[in-house]
Amino acid sequence: MSQPGSDPWAIAEADFPASGTAAERLTFLLGYAVLAPSTHNSQPWRFRLRGDRLELVADRTRALAVSDPEDRELTLSCGCALYQLRVAIRRFGFRGEVTTWPDPTDPDLFARIGLGEPGEATAEELAEFGAIPRRRTHRGAFDARSVAADVLTELRLLATEEGAWLHLVETPAERAALADLINEADARQGSDPSFRRELAAWLHPSRRESGDGIPDHALGVDDLKFYRGPLVVRTFDRGDGEAARDRQVTDGSPVLAVLGTDHDTPPAWLKAGQALGRLLLRARSLGLFSSYLNQPVEVPEVRGKLPDVLGRDGKPQLVLRFGYAAEPAPSPRRPVESVLG
């Protein structure tokens, strides 16, 4: 468990309690799970220790009622944290034992996790584990450097292995159509006062006490402008400006992809979240950064158009971009003590 006031990103492998109880080991390993990404950096997860097991529970007090009314992205975020916990368990010599949706009467209980039997991690798992403290959501521009085809093939395979699919947006026509949907969703969200208020509530200018939310450096603006940002977001419709920025980001992204599932249910969302966790860690282990253009999947009227643009059946869950760039500073995280109980 981290020390009070310590940086969750500074977790050290050498501190693993190798001779401790299962509960002590799992508590330490949670330090890797809490570094997972989440929508608006809301970190909508809680964990409970039950003997030699951990339980992953939705923290619906951190739900985004406007942009995520069904808690779909909340579930995806929790799935991502679950995958990082799985990788951490493997790194420290256990196979892991995960049961998802263990109690049909408790929809908030997403998974029950144990260490399982001893087992050696694969080279790929070790590489993913090493990427956990280096993974960042990169909201800025990527370099022009292209991503090798074999890397993209591997990412598609990994998504499939986790029960999801990854569609690469490759042709100019498909990219243009996706950019149009992003613009449409930007305009709809930007004109919605409730959406703007919700977003503004998660903009945290130069404030680290809460350990959550979107910090100033993540948006690439200085403290003064960011301090005024929440008021601007709440007050003015900035949809057109956001659309122009996102069009530029779309055009400058070496890789655009859509992560999806065959079904649109909470179990499918949890699988998609674990697939996302695996994709992000594998990509980072190969030198790539990633971020999201999720507006099209957050507006129902626009999300329904995505399958036609992609030319495939299924339920789009996330829009992703990958590329190379200089490493940004990490966003804040709540310590293990804040999510365990």
Side-chain angles (χ1 to χ4, degrees):
M1 186 176 293
S2 60
Q3 296 300 316
S6 64
D7 178 8
W9 288 99
I11 187 169
E13 297 175 53
D15 293 334
F16 177 68
S19 60
T21 64
E24 290 169 338
R25 293 172 178 175
L26 287 167
T27 299
F28 173 82
L29 296 176
L30 269 186
Y32 294 99
V34 300
L35 300 182
S38 56
T39 306
H40 294 352
N41 195 22
S42 55
Q43 304 169 49
W45 45 67
R46 292 188 295 112
F47 292 88
R48 302 186 299 221
L49 270 173
R50 295 292 184 266
D52 61 354
R53 296 286 189 277
L54 270 174
E55 292 182 342
L56 167 59
V57 183
D59 186 348
R60 301 198 194 271
T61 67
R62 293 177 164 268
L64 306 172
V66 179
S67 60
D68 186 32
E70 295 183 330
D71 287 350
R72 182 182 59 82
E73 290 185 356
L74 178 151
T75 307
L76 286 163
S77 298
C78 288
C80 208
L82 174 58
Y83 185 77
Q84 293 198 178
L85 180 58
R86 286 170 51 196
V87 170
I89 289 173
R90 295 287 291 144
R91 155 61 184 89
F92 287 97
F94 297 91
R95 297 187 181 279
E97 190 177 282
V98 178
T99 304
T100 56
W101 309 100
D103 185 351
T105 68
D106 186 356
D108 288 349
L109 178 56
F110 288 167
R112 188 170 288 132
I113 309 105
L115 294 174
E117 298 295 321
E120 186 174 352
T122 65
E124 290 77 12
E125 289 167 336
L126 292 175
E128 289 179 13
F129 173 82
I132 290 177
R134 297 185 294 110
R135 186 211 56 78
R136 306 281 187 269
T137 298
H138 198 299
R139 295 178 174 86
F142 290 144
D143 299 341
R145 176 182 169 191
S146 62
V147 179
D150 61 335
V151 171
L152 301 179
T153 298
E154 180 180 1
L155 294 180
R156 292 177 65 180
L157 176 61
L158 296 181
T160 300
E161 290 179 355
E162 293 296 328
W165 48 259
L166 186 70
H167 178 92
L168 299 176
V169 181
E170 296 179 300
T171 69
E174 198 175 22
R175 274 180 166 255
L178 177 59
D180 287 343
L181 293 186
I182 292 171
N183 287 355
E184 180 182 346
D186 269 327
R188 288 175 179 268
Q189 289 183 326
S191 65
D192 183 351
S194 296
F195 173 84
R196 298 200 305 269
R197 283 194 296 270
E198 182 176 81
L199 175 59
W202 290 96
L203 299 179
H204 292 176
S206 299
R207 180 158 62 86
R208 301 293 181 269
E209 293 84 354
S210 63
D212 58 13
I214 306 171
D216 46 8
H217 64 74
L219 297 183
V221 295
D222 61 68
D223 285 354
L224 177 60
K225 290 180 181 177
F226 193 85
Y227 183 78
R228 296 168 56 192
L231 177 60
V232 173
V233 169
R234 284 194 300 269
T235 307
F236 300 106
D237 177 356
R238 299 170 64 247
D240 289 343
E242 289 299 308
R245 184 192 68 83
D246 286 332
R247 170 76 73 167
Q248 185 177 22
V249 169
T250 302
D251 292 342
S253 297
V255 178
L256 287 175
V258 177
L259 179 67
T261 52
D262 292 336
H263 304 286
D264 207 23
T265 61
W269 302 339
L270 194 67
K271 286 182 179 179
Q274 292 177 84
L276 175 65
R278 190 171 183 184
L279 291 174
L280 298 183
L281 293 182
R282 187 59 181 156
R284 188 67 197 100
S285 74
L286 297 172
L288 291 166
F289 285 105
S290 56
S291 65
Y292 316 94
L293 291 165
N294 280 337
Q295 300 90 323
V297 295
E298 292 177 344
V299 178
E301 298 86 350
V302 180
R303 188 183 181 212
K305 300 177 183 180
L306 263 173
D308 287 339
V309 166
L310 303 180
R312 65 168 301 154
D313 295 330
K315 302 297 182 180
Q317 303 296 348
L318 292 169
V319 180
L320 294 162
R321 50 190 291 267
F322 295 96
Y324 298 98
E327 182 171 329
S331 296
R333 287 296 185 277
R334 294 185 295 155
V336 168
E337 294 84 355
S338 297
V339 302
L340 181 62

